[in-house]
Amino acid sequence: MQGGKYLADGKSQSLFRDKPIKVLLAKPGIDGHDRGMFVLARAFRDAGMDVLYAGLLPTPEDVVNTAVNEDVDVVALSLLNGAHLTVFKKVMDLMKERGIDDISVVGGGTIPDHDRPKLEKMGITGNYGPGTPLKVIIDHITERAAEARQKKNRI
Amino acid sequence: MQSRDYYSRKLNELKSRHSGNPDRERWRRETLAPWNQKTGYGGKEYRNSSEIPIHEIYTPGDLPPDYDKKELGLPGEYPFTRGIYPNMYRGKLWTMRMFSGFGTPEDTNRRLKYLISHGESGLSIAFDMPTLYGYDCDNPRADGEIGRCGVNISSLKDMETLFRGIDLSKISTSMTINAPAAVLTAMYVAIAKKQKVPLDSISGTVQADILKEYIAQKEWMYPPEAHIRIIRDMMTYCSVNLPKWNYISISGYHIREAGSSAAQELAFTLADGFYYIDLGMKAGLPVEKFAPRLSFFFNSSIDFFEEIAKMRAARRIWATVLKEKYDVNDPRSLLMRFHTQTSGYTLTWQQPINNIIRTTIEAMAGVLGGTQSLHTNSYDEAWALPSEEAVKIALRTQQIIAEESGIPATIDPLGGSYYVEWLTNQMEEKAYEYFDRIEKMGGMLEAIKKGYIQKEIAATSYRRQMRIESGEEVMVGANKYQDSSEKPIGILKISKKAQDAQIARLKKVKITRDKAKVDAILGRLEDAMRDPEENLMPHYLEAVEAYCTLEEISNAGRKVFGGWKEPVIV
Ligand code: B12
């Protein structure tokens, strides 16, 4: 992945000129599958993003706290353990409870096709699984980061 | 040979084996080059996962003089390159052991019996995430996770249900459990006692290889030193009380799945193995007593010859280092017994039926590599835990190799292949390069705590990912030959009812047990944990028999030892 690629279409250029896209990668459940996390972290960084990784076994509360404290644009949730419906929802509920709407939430991992619409309904987009090209993921993150940034710039 | 600087001296010795191959040079010049010119072949570089460049052809000139007498040997004879037993599969086939577990203990008990009825010859238990990390099913963190990735075990009651109707004296059980391995061993012992099976006859394995947890699988509860002490306690306890129990399965599988190359898997796994040899010796155990109880677990991935070479090299390195560096002479202690699992990582979400073919190739490599037992992955690997249909095909794959293919008829049929022998030597050298580097860093534990091993793996994994992204490395159906008309497959669904059932059972356990006794036992366990000279195994046994829960027992350690935060890897 070439550096700075995420500005390719020029549309979001002005949004990220002063501060690059900031992403928090997190597995909010009991899941130690981190191979994909390390791949995504490096790929995002190579694409010019600022990347944080929440480490092993953060709780949904930890994830939301970090996202807010670090003022990230996107929270990238990943679970390979099959608990995404329950656990991703906890993250979304906490965000709603705290009235956070300027952080986009994107999901991925071992997510069967029939769960995708349910996650979308919670406001989690992407939900990409094994074999997804990194370019597809990076483009999606960029798009969702632009949404978040526009909201952050409102005030 | 003396032990100081052993690895660097050995490495020099191995490197001195190299000399040019004049036969190949002549052939390249006189035959290949003109041919390529005529056909307009531009040349392509082939490399395996270990980044070893592969030549067009191999000849006797690629092997050192007297190779077959000195380094290759014969099966059942030092250095065991060709197999650890004299008759290998002619005497006894490998054990077909399918990694299984989901939902409640009842669900998994049914699956185990299903597999036994279809010809499985050993059991292998997969636990769910809360169990793997020492949390009970009623912990709020475990919500949504019960039974999803394996069977849930919160107390001895669950283990009793899991093995109901299965005679522990007749079949061996392997349990993929690490941080709480000592607790699960204690539960197994408690059940054997209830079934009145003499303890010196129960055979089985717990994974318990904590070093590779910090490296690859990331299932720890405490700092490394605390887990290592628990392993030491298991080693000492079992060598007296459970002589047939394999208390560590030194695992390369996870290292590989986390992204390493075959050579890194080989090197890091054996380096872990030598660490446990040192540990046993430091605990004052005689090597002949504990070395034969150490077993290994390797990955069999998709590069057929590389995998076979890796397994052959592994046997030879283990025997050679134990003999030369550790001065071990007991022949049984030199035998590297290992389990093999085909690679989950190579199996695609897209066009999942193709995974049956991949698994077949990988399983054949495991057999040709001389494995003692084998798990074959199911075609739905990338989607979910295997469905009954998928796991049956995976078992049948082994049975077809065993009973139709003719592969088991002769021992190490690839022995003497110039390519395979050369590659075996290459893998061996790569491993010694790492042993030497790791020793200079202060040993395996230091290298792990610094994050060196993890970073090496992450770098290899990323390079591979980049090759897949660019299409240089092909995954059929995923990044080439895609098919947009694909439909989703039927998968095993785990109902949330499993969680409710487990919580209800745990509630009942907590009501019916003697609470005062539980508290007293947990207090004694904590005291024992504070005293490094005390063996924890009898305490674990006492605790599980009084129905202390997995989390209560694990929490004693969390209180005494604390937790662990890994170094930054990426
Ligand atoms: C590698 C692997 C392991 C390794 C993990 C090493 C490591 N440090 O990561 C090892 C061997 C240790 C392992 C262990 C276990 N595993 Co495992 N593992 C896999 C495997 C084979 C591949 C995962 C992988 O790394 N792929 C490569 C990476 C690069 O891809 P990826 O993570 O999928 O990420 C890509 C996409 O999914 C996407 N993506 C992922 N996350 C996100 C997030 C966002 C926001 C976005 C946009 C995209 C995105 O982008 C990435 C690039 O394309 C999968 C099956 C499979 N083929 O997928 C099973 C699998 C995930 N494992 C499984 C299980 C059950 C386990 C265990 C619980 C087994 C047990 N009972 O002991 C343990 C638990 C380990 C733990 N501590 O959590 C199950 C999960 C079942 C389920 N969900 O229903 C699977 C599906 C296999 C199976 N069918 O049984 N495993």
Side-chain angles (χ1 to χ4, degrees):
Chain A
M1 211 50 47
Q2 267 87 50
K5 252 303 200 32
Y6 69 90
L7 301 174
D9 64 356
K11 265 199 302 203
S12 2
Q13 202 128 20
S14 60
L15 278 171
F16 304 115
R17 190 177 297 133
D18 300 327
K19 191 178 161 228
I21 293 176
K22 196 167 181 183
V23 187
L24 171 63
L25 272 165
K27 298 171 106 28
I30 310 182
D31 183 7
H33 289 98
D34 57 8
R35 179 182 186 156
M37 290 292 89
F38 294 160
V39 165
L40 292 179
R42 276 189 74 162
F44 291 174
R45 228 166 260 159
D46 287 355
M49 299 182 194
D50 196 357
V51 186
L52 303 169
Y53 172 51
L56 191 73
L57 267 48
T59 61
E61 289 80 6
D62 294 335
V63 173
V64 174
N65 287 340
T66 310
V68 172
N69 295 342
E70 295 284 341
D71 191 23
V72 302
D73 300 299
V74 178
V75 177
L77 297 178
S78 173
L79 279 179
L80 272 63
N81 70 0
H84 46 273
L85 285 183
T86 315
V87 176
F88 285 4
K89 183 170 182 299
K90 290 191 180 174
V91 175
M92 296 315 281
D93 288 349
L94 281 167
M95 303 232 332
K96 225 180 272 159
E97 236 173 78
R98 296 173 58 171
I100 304 160
D101 72 339
D102 60 353
I103 295 176
S104 298
V105 182
V106 170
T110 309
I111 296 172
D113 296 328
H114 51 261
D115 286 348
R116 241 169 248 144
K118 297 178 202 162
L119 293 170
E120 289 265 352
K121 238 176 135 178
M122 293 176 202
I124 304 169
T125 62
N127 304 312
Y128 298 115
T132 310
L134 293 175
K135 187 181 176 322
V136 172
I137 295 172
I138 289 170
D139 285 349
H140 184 73
I141 301 259
T142 306
E143 210 177 286
R144 295 298 321 274
E147 274 175 41
R149 202 53 81 84
Q150 266 152 3
K151 289 185 186 154
K152 284 183 204 294
N153 290 349
R154 259 177 336 211
I155 7 124
Chain B
M1 214 182 267
Q2 275 179 2
S3 90
R4 241 178 54 94
D5 292 335
Y6 171 78
Y7 296 124
S8 70
R9 277 182 291 118
K10 188 75 189 175
L11 184 60
N12 286 335
E13 179 194 313
L14 295 180
K15 290 226 187 264
S16 73
R17 292 186 298 199
H18 295 292
S19 53
N21 184 334
D23 285 344
R24 183 167 48 231
E25 289 314 315
R26 183 203 60 75
W27 168 82
R28 271 184 184 150
R29 229 178 16 249
E30 295 176 10
T31 306
L32 182 65
W35 175 267
N36 282 347
Q37 205 166 18
K38 199 169 85 191
T39 55
Y41 175 75
K44 178 180 167 191
E45 238 200 52
Y46 288 84
R47 276 173 194 273
N48 59 21
S49 83
S50 308
E51 315 211 357
I52 297 170
I54 310 296
H55 299 313
E56 311 88 336
I57 187 79
Y58 292 86
T59 76
D62 289 301
L63 303 176
D66 279 341
Y67 173 77
D68 52 341
K69 300 235 161 43
K70 285 209 300 247
E71 285 158 272
L72 181 57
L74 285 162
E77 291 179 7
Y78 183 83
F80 307 104
T81 319
R82 308 201 64 181
I84 55 171
Y85 299 125
N87 56 1
M88 288 303 286
Y89 306 133
R90 293 170 70 101
K92 181 178 172 287
L93 282 171
W94 62 92
T95 304
M96 299 179 191
R97 214 185 262 293
M98 305 299 282
F99 186 43
S100 318
F102 66 93
T104 62
E106 284 86 351
D107 294 329
T108 300
N109 178 272
R110 265 193 300 277
R111 176 63 70 87
L112 296 179
K113 287 176 177 163
Y114 170 83
L115 285 166
I116 293 171
S117 79
H118 282 283
E120 177 178 57
S121 44
L123 303 179
S124 171
I125 313 293
F127 297 98
D128 71 355
M129 291 290 190
T131 308
L132 293 170
Y133 286 89
Y135 295 116
D136 287 346
C137 57
D138 60 357
N139 185 309
R141 298 203 61 169
D143 182 23
E145 315 237 10
I146 302 305
R148 267 191 204 290
C149 281
V151 62
N152 177 258
I153 299 292
S154 298
S155 80
L156 180 60
K157 209 22 122 229
D158 295 324
M159 279 287 265
E160 291 164 6
T161 315
L162 178 62
F163 290 107
R164 189 168 295 152
I166 295 171
D167 184 347
L168 300 191
S169 69
K170 296 240 163 65
I171 197 156
S172 67
T173 305
S174 170
M175 296 193 276
T176 298
I177 192 79
N178 290 280
V183 185
L184 273 285
T185 299
M187 287 186 185
Y188 202 78
V189 169
I191 293 170
K193 280 166 73 182
K194 285 194 181 188
Q195 286 191 5
K196 305 223 167 10
V197 179
L199 294 191
D200 57 9
S201 77
I202 57 167
S203 76
T205 306
V206 278
Q207 202 162 75
D209 166 14
I210 205 71
L211 292 179
K212 70 90 176 55
E213 292 302 324
Y214 296 100
I215 298 173
Q217 188 165 235
K218 318 294 171 97
E219 290 164 9
W220 57 78
M221 300 192 289
Y222 320 135
E225 288 77 7
H227 280 300
I228 288 164
R229 177 258 173 112
I230 297 171
I231 293 173
R232 181 208 65 187
D233 290 354
M234 259 204 290
M235 286 173 111
T236 356
Y237 177 88
C238 295
S239 58
V240 178
N241 300 290
L242 297 177
K244 284 191 175 169
W245 193 251
N246 301 304
Y247 37 75
I248 314 178
S249 163
I250 307 159
S251 309
Y253 184 79
H254 316 81
I255 292 174
R256 186 65 173 285
E257 291 289 297
S260 84
S261 68
Q264 288 172 326
E265 176 194 357
L266 175 68
F268 301 155
T269 309
L270 270 77
D272 287 347
F274 301 136
Y275 183 92
Y276 295 121
I277 292 283
D278 288 328
L279 182 68
M281 286 179 156
K282 259 190 268 165
L285 294 169
V287 175
E288 328 69 79
K289 243 324 317 214
F290 76 86
R293 298 275 40 103
L294 304 179
S295 63
F296 285 81
F297 174 13
F298 289 112
N299 196 295
S300 191
S301 195
I302 195 73
D303 189 326
F304 191 66
F305 294 107
E306 188 183 20
E307 296 309 310
I308 296 166
K310 174 189 77 187
M311 295 174 203
R312 299 171 89 246
R315 271 193 297 272
R316 181 155 84 208
I317 298 170
W318 185 246
T320 308
V321 174
L322 286 195
K323 193 174 181 142
E324 294 183 352
K325 180 172 190 269
Y326 289 92
D327 209 19
V328 175
N329 285 300
D330 164 47
R332 275 188 50 227
S333 301
L334 302 177
L335 303 185
M336 167 186 271
R337 296 170 301 137
F338 66 91
H339 172 67
T340 300
Q341 178 169 338
T342 56
S343 165
Y345 169 79
T346 61
L347 303 187
T348 57
W349 179 280
Q350 296 75 12
Q351 304 179 30
I353 301 299
N354 295 343
N355 292 333
I356 299 173
I357 320 297
R358 295 190 176 96
T359 297
T360 306
I361 295 170
E362 295 170 353
M364 279 171 52
V367 170
L368 288 164
T371 194
Q372 275 59 63
S373 63
L374 182 63
H375 163 97
T376 31
N377 287 324
S378 300
Y379 66 78
D380 51 5
E381 166 77 14
W383 287 71
L385 297 185
S387 68
E388 212 165 74
E389 183 212 304
V391 76
K392 187 157 72 181
I393 295 173
L395 176 60
R396 294 287 181 256
T397 305
Q398 293 198 39
Q399 291 162 335
I400 290 167
I401 295 171
E403 302 189 39
E404 296 184 19
S405 76
I407 292 174
T410 191
I411 302 162
D412 187 31
L414 290 175
S417 148
Y418 308 125
Y419 175 38
V420 171
E421 298 299 353
W422 172 85
L423 197 51
T424 303
N425 292 344
Q426 290 284 312
M427 300 298 278
E428 187 180 33
E429 278 180 41
K430 291 241 168 201
Y432 281 98
E433 277 169 20
Y434 269 120
F435 297 156
D436 184 31
R437 210 171 307 155
I438 291 165
E439 187 168 59
K440 289 183 173 133
M441 294 180 75
M444 200 51 179
L445 184 57
E446 272 313 300
I448 293 169
K449 284 165 89 174
K450 285 188 185 121
Y452 166 75
I453 308 288
Q454 299 91 312
K455 283 180 193 155
E456 286 287 293
I457 295 170
T460 305
S461 154
Y462 196 63
R463 278 199 297 277
R464 181 165 194 181
Q465 186 76 34
M466 290 300 107
R467 289 197 299 272
I468 291 170
E469 297 292 320
S470 71
E472 184 189 333
E473 188 169 325
V474 173
M475 289 181 101
V476 170
N479 70 351
K480 198 175 182 181
Y481 312 115
Q482 293 100 325
D483 181 354
S484 55
S485 68
E486 271 192 82
K487 285 183 203 70
I489 54 170
I491 55 171
L492 178 79
K493 293 210 175 83
I494 288 139
S495 144
K496 242 192 154 174
K497 282 196 192 116
Q499 178 161 330
D500 301 338
Q502 282 304 93
I503 293 176
R505 176 162 31 221
L506 185 61
K507 210 171 196 173
K508 212 163 131 200
V509 165
K510 285 186 178 168
I511 293 169
T512 46
R513 64 186 185 172
D514 179 345
K515 185 70 174 48
K517 192 171 158 197
V518 163
D519 291 341
I521 290 173
L522 289 173
R524 279 202 295 279
L525 174 63
E526 266 180 46
D527 292 341
M529 284 172 162
R530 286 197 185 88
D531 177 0
E533 297 311 311
E534 181 95 16
N535 192 309
L536 295 178
M537 281 309 291
H539 295 275
Y540 283 139
L541 189 57
E542 186 186 33
V544 301
E545 287 185 323
Y547 294 94
C548 299
T549 70
L550 177 64
E551 183 167 331
E552 288 166 344
I553 297 170
S554 303
N555 279 349
R558 291 190 176 101
K559 215 154 118 192
V560 176
F561 304 126
W564 175 254
K565 201 166 162 14
E566 72 177 325
V568 175
I569 311 298
V570 170

Short mmCIF file of all heavy atoms in Angstrom, two decimals, chain B residues 211 214-215 223-226 228 275 441-455 564-569:
data_model
loop_
_atom_site.label_atom_id
_atom_site.label_comp_id
_atom_site.label_asym_id
_atom_site.label_seq_id
_atom_site.Cartn_x
_atom_site.Cartn_y
_atom_site.Cartn_z
N LEU B 211 4.96 -20.36 26.54
CA LEU B 211 5.84 -19.47 25.77
C LEU B 211 5.20 -19.08 24.45
O LEU B 211 5.20 -17.93 24.05
CB LEU B 211 7.21 -20.13 25.54
CG LEU B 211 8.08 -20.33 26.78
CD1 LEU B 211 9.38 -21.02 26.40
CD2 LEU B 211 8.38 -19.02 27.48
N TYR B 214 2.61 -16.22 24.70
CA TYR B 214 3.13 -14.86 24.62
C TYR B 214 3.57 -14.53 23.20
O TYR B 214 3.51 -13.38 22.77
CB TYR B 214 4.27 -14.66 25.62
CG TYR B 214 3.81 -14.81 27.05
CD1 TYR B 214 4.02 -15.99 27.76
CD2 TYR B 214 3.11 -13.78 27.67
CE1 TYR B 214 3.56 -16.14 29.06
CE2 TYR B 214 2.64 -13.92 28.97
CZ TYR B 214 2.88 -15.10 29.66
OH TYR B 214 2.41 -15.25 30.93
N ILE B 215 4.01 -15.56 22.48
CA ILE B 215 4.45 -15.34 21.10
C ILE B 215 3.27 -15.18 20.15
O ILE B 215 3.23 -14.28 19.33
CB ILE B 215 5.31 -16.54 20.60
CG1 ILE B 215 6.57 -16.71 21.43
CG2 ILE B 215 5.66 -16.38 19.12
CD1 ILE B 215 7.36 -17.97 21.10
N PRO B 223 1.89 -12.96 34.55
CA PRO B 223 3.20 -12.74 33.91
C PRO B 223 3.87 -14.08 33.58
O PRO B 223 3.57 -15.10 34.23
CB PRO B 223 4.01 -12.00 34.98
CG PRO B 223 3.01 -11.49 35.97
CD PRO B 223 1.85 -12.41 35.92
N PRO B 224 4.78 -14.10 32.62
CA PRO B 224 5.40 -15.34 32.18
C PRO B 224 5.98 -16.19 33.33
O PRO B 224 5.77 -17.40 33.38
CB PRO B 224 6.52 -14.89 31.24
CG PRO B 224 6.14 -13.52 30.80
CD PRO B 224 5.25 -12.94 31.85
N GLU B 225 6.67 -15.53 34.25
CA GLU B 225 7.34 -16.30 35.32
C GLU B 225 6.34 -17.10 36.14
O GLU B 225 6.63 -18.22 36.58
CB GLU B 225 8.13 -15.37 36.25
CG GLU B 225 9.40 -14.78 35.64
CD GLU B 225 9.12 -13.62 34.67
OE1 GLU B 225 7.94 -13.18 34.57
OE2 GLU B 225 10.07 -13.17 34.00
N ALA B 226 5.15 -16.55 36.36
CA ALA B 226 4.15 -17.26 37.17
C ALA B 226 3.66 -18.49 36.42
O ALA B 226 3.55 -19.58 36.99
CB ALA B 226 2.98 -16.32 37.48
N ILE B 228 5.24 -20.09 34.15
CA ILE B 228 6.34 -21.05 34.02
C ILE B 228 6.48 -21.85 35.32
O ILE B 228 6.73 -23.04 35.31
CB ILE B 228 7.64 -20.31 33.65
CG1 ILE B 228 7.54 -19.85 32.18
CG2 ILE B 228 8.87 -21.20 33.84
CD1 ILE B 228 8.54 -18.80 31.77
N TYR B 275 13.90 -24.55 26.08
CA TYR B 275 13.62 -23.81 27.32
C TYR B 275 13.00 -24.76 28.36
O TYR B 275 13.37 -24.73 29.54
CB TYR B 275 12.69 -22.63 27.04
CG TYR B 275 12.43 -21.80 28.29
CD1 TYR B 275 13.23 -20.72 28.60
CD2 TYR B 275 11.41 -22.16 29.18
CE1 TYR B 275 13.03 -19.98 29.76
CE2 TYR B 275 11.20 -21.43 30.34
CZ TYR B 275 12.00 -20.34 30.62
OH TYR B 275 11.80 -19.63 31.77
N MET B 441 20.70 -13.15 22.69
CA MET B 441 19.80 -12.15 23.28
C MET B 441 19.49 -12.47 24.73
O MET B 441 18.74 -11.74 25.38
CB MET B 441 18.47 -12.12 22.52
CG MET B 441 18.61 -11.63 21.10
SD MET B 441 17.01 -11.62 20.27
CE MET B 441 16.28 -10.20 21.04
N GLY B 442 19.99 -13.59 25.23
CA GLY B 442 19.74 -13.95 26.63
C GLY B 442 18.69 -15.04 26.78
O GLY B 442 18.15 -15.24 27.87
N GLY B 443 18.38 -15.71 25.69
CA GLY B 443 17.46 -16.85 25.78
C GLY B 443 16.06 -16.52 25.30
O GLY B 443 15.72 -15.36 25.04
N MET B 444 15.25 -17.56 25.20
CA MET B 444 13.93 -17.43 24.59
C MET B 444 13.00 -16.50 25.39
O MET B 444 12.30 -15.68 24.82
CB MET B 444 13.31 -18.82 24.45
CG MET B 444 12.21 -18.91 23.44
SD MET B 444 12.65 -18.23 21.82
CE MET B 444 11.15 -18.55 20.92
N LEU B 445 13.01 -16.65 26.72
CA LEU B 445 12.09 -15.84 27.51
C LEU B 445 12.40 -14.34 27.33
O LEU B 445 11.49 -13.53 27.15
CB LEU B 445 12.18 -16.24 28.99
CG LEU B 445 11.21 -15.53 29.92
CD1 LEU B 445 9.77 -15.74 29.50
CD2 LEU B 445 11.40 -16.03 31.37
N GLU B 446 13.67 -14.02 27.34
CA GLU B 446 14.08 -12.62 27.12
C GLU B 446 13.63 -12.15 25.75
O GLU B 446 13.10 -11.04 25.59
CB GLU B 446 15.60 -12.50 27.23
CG GLU B 446 16.09 -12.26 28.64
CD GLU B 446 15.30 -11.18 29.36
OE1 GLU B 446 15.31 -10.04 28.85
OE2 GLU B 446 14.67 -11.48 30.39
N ALA B 447 13.88 -12.98 24.74
CA ALA B 447 13.55 -12.60 23.36
C ALA B 447 12.05 -12.34 23.23
O ALA B 447 11.63 -11.45 22.49
CB ALA B 447 14.00 -13.69 22.40
N ILE B 448 11.26 -13.11 23.96
CA ILE B 448 9.81 -12.93 23.90
C ILE B 448 9.41 -11.66 24.64
O ILE B 448 8.59 -10.86 24.18
CB ILE B 448 9.08 -14.15 24.50
CG1 ILE B 448 9.30 -15.39 23.63
CG2 ILE B 448 7.60 -13.87 24.67
CD1 ILE B 448 8.86 -16.69 24.27
N LYS B 449 9.99 -11.47 25.82
CA LYS B 449 9.61 -10.30 26.61
C LYS B 449 10.00 -9.00 25.91
O LYS B 449 9.34 -7.98 26.08
CB LYS B 449 10.25 -10.38 28.00
CG LYS B 449 9.51 -11.39 28.90
CD LYS B 449 10.29 -11.77 30.11
CE LYS B 449 10.04 -10.86 31.29
NZ LYS B 449 10.73 -11.37 32.49
N LYS B 450 11.05 -9.07 25.11
CA LYS B 450 11.43 -7.88 24.32
C LYS B 450 10.53 -7.71 23.11
O LYS B 450 10.61 -6.68 22.43
CB LYS B 450 12.86 -8.04 23.83
CG LYS B 450 13.91 -7.83 24.89
CD LYS B 450 15.31 -7.80 24.25
CE LYS B 450 16.37 -7.71 25.31
NZ LYS B 450 17.32 -8.84 25.27
N GLY B 451 9.76 -8.74 22.79
CA GLY B 451 8.89 -8.65 21.61
C GLY B 451 9.61 -9.01 20.32
O GLY B 451 9.04 -8.90 19.23
N TYR B 452 10.87 -9.46 20.45
CA TYR B 452 11.65 -9.77 19.24
C TYR B 452 10.98 -10.85 18.39
O TYR B 452 10.80 -10.69 17.18
CB TYR B 452 13.07 -10.21 19.62
CG TYR B 452 13.83 -10.85 18.48
CD1 TYR B 452 14.34 -10.07 17.44
CD2 TYR B 452 14.01 -12.24 18.42
CE1 TYR B 452 15.01 -10.65 16.37
CE2 TYR B 452 14.69 -12.82 17.36
CZ TYR B 452 15.19 -12.03 16.34
OH TYR B 452 15.84 -12.62 15.29
N ILE B 453 10.58 -11.94 19.04
CA ILE B 453 10.00 -13.07 18.29
C ILE B 453 8.71 -12.62 17.62
O ILE B 453 8.46 -12.89 16.43
CB ILE B 453 9.72 -14.27 19.24
CG1 ILE B 453 10.97 -14.62 20.06
CG2 ILE B 453 9.18 -15.46 18.47
CD1 ILE B 453 12.07 -15.29 19.30
N GLN B 454 7.87 -11.91 18.39
CA GLN B 454 6.58 -11.45 17.86
C GLN B 454 6.78 -10.52 16.67
O GLN B 454 6.03 -10.58 15.70
CB GLN B 454 5.79 -10.71 18.95
CG GLN B 454 5.45 -11.54 20.19
CD GLN B 454 6.50 -11.46 21.28
OE1 GLN B 454 7.70 -11.62 21.03
NE2 GLN B 454 6.06 -11.23 22.51
N LYS B 455 7.80 -9.67 16.74
CA LYS B 455 8.04 -8.72 15.64
C LYS B 455 8.53 -9.45 14.40
O LYS B 455 8.16 -9.08 13.28
CB LYS B 455 9.05 -7.66 16.07
CG LYS B 455 8.43 -6.61 16.97
CD LYS B 455 9.46 -5.58 17.38
CE LYS B 455 8.89 -4.74 18.52
NZ LYS B 455 9.92 -4.15 19.36
N TRP B 564 -0.50 -9.26 32.89
CA TRP B 564 0.63 -9.07 31.99
C TRP B 564 0.23 -8.23 30.81
O TRP B 564 -0.84 -8.44 30.22
CB TRP B 564 1.15 -10.42 31.51
CG TRP B 564 2.24 -10.32 30.48
CD1 TRP B 564 2.14 -10.57 29.15
CD2 TRP B 564 3.61 -9.95 30.72
NE1 TRP B 564 3.35 -10.37 28.53
CE2 TRP B 564 4.27 -9.99 29.47
CE3 TRP B 564 4.33 -9.57 31.86
CZ2 TRP B 564 5.61 -9.69 29.33
CZ3 TRP B 564 5.68 -9.27 31.72
CH2 TRP B 564 6.31 -9.33 30.47
N LYS B 565 1.05 -7.25 30.47
CA LYS B 565 0.78 -6.43 29.29
C LYS B 565 1.89 -6.70 28.29
O LYS B 565 3.07 -6.66 28.65
CB LYS B 565 0.79 -4.96 29.71
CG LYS B 565 0.05 -4.06 28.75
CD LYS B 565 -0.18 -2.70 29.42
CE LYS B 565 -0.51 -1.57 28.50
NZ LYS B 565 -0.90 -1.68 27.19
N GLU B 566 1.50 -7.00 27.06
CA GLU B 566 2.53 -7.37 26.10
C GLU B 566 3.27 -6.16 25.56
O GLU B 566 2.74 -5.06 25.55
CB GLU B 566 1.95 -8.21 24.96
CG GLU B 566 1.08 -7.47 23.98
CD GLU B 566 0.60 -8.36 22.83
OE1 GLU B 566 1.35 -9.24 22.39
OE2 GLU B 566 -0.54 -8.17 22.38
N PRO B 567 4.53 -6.38 25.10
CA PRO B 567 5.27 -5.27 24.51
C PRO B 567 4.59 -4.83 23.21
O PRO B 567 3.82 -5.60 22.62
CB PRO B 567 6.64 -5.88 24.21
CG PRO B 567 6.42 -7.36 24.15
CD PRO B 567 5.29 -7.64 25.08
N VAL B 568 4.85 -3.62 22.77
CA VAL B 568 4.25 -3.14 21.51
C VAL B 568 4.89 -3.88 20.35
O VAL B 568 6.11 -3.95 20.23
CB VAL B 568 4.45 -1.62 21.36
CG1 VAL B 568 3.94 -1.15 20.00
CG2 VAL B 568 3.72 -0.89 22.48
N ILE B 569 4.04 -4.47 19.50
CA ILE B 569 4.55 -5.28 18.39
C ILE B 569 4.55 -4.48 17.09
O ILE B 569 5.50 -4.50 16.34
CB ILE B 569 3.70 -6.56 18.19
CG1 ILE B 569 3.49 -7.29 19.51
CG2 ILE B 569 4.32 -7.47 17.14
CD1 ILE B 569 4.72 -7.79 20.18
#
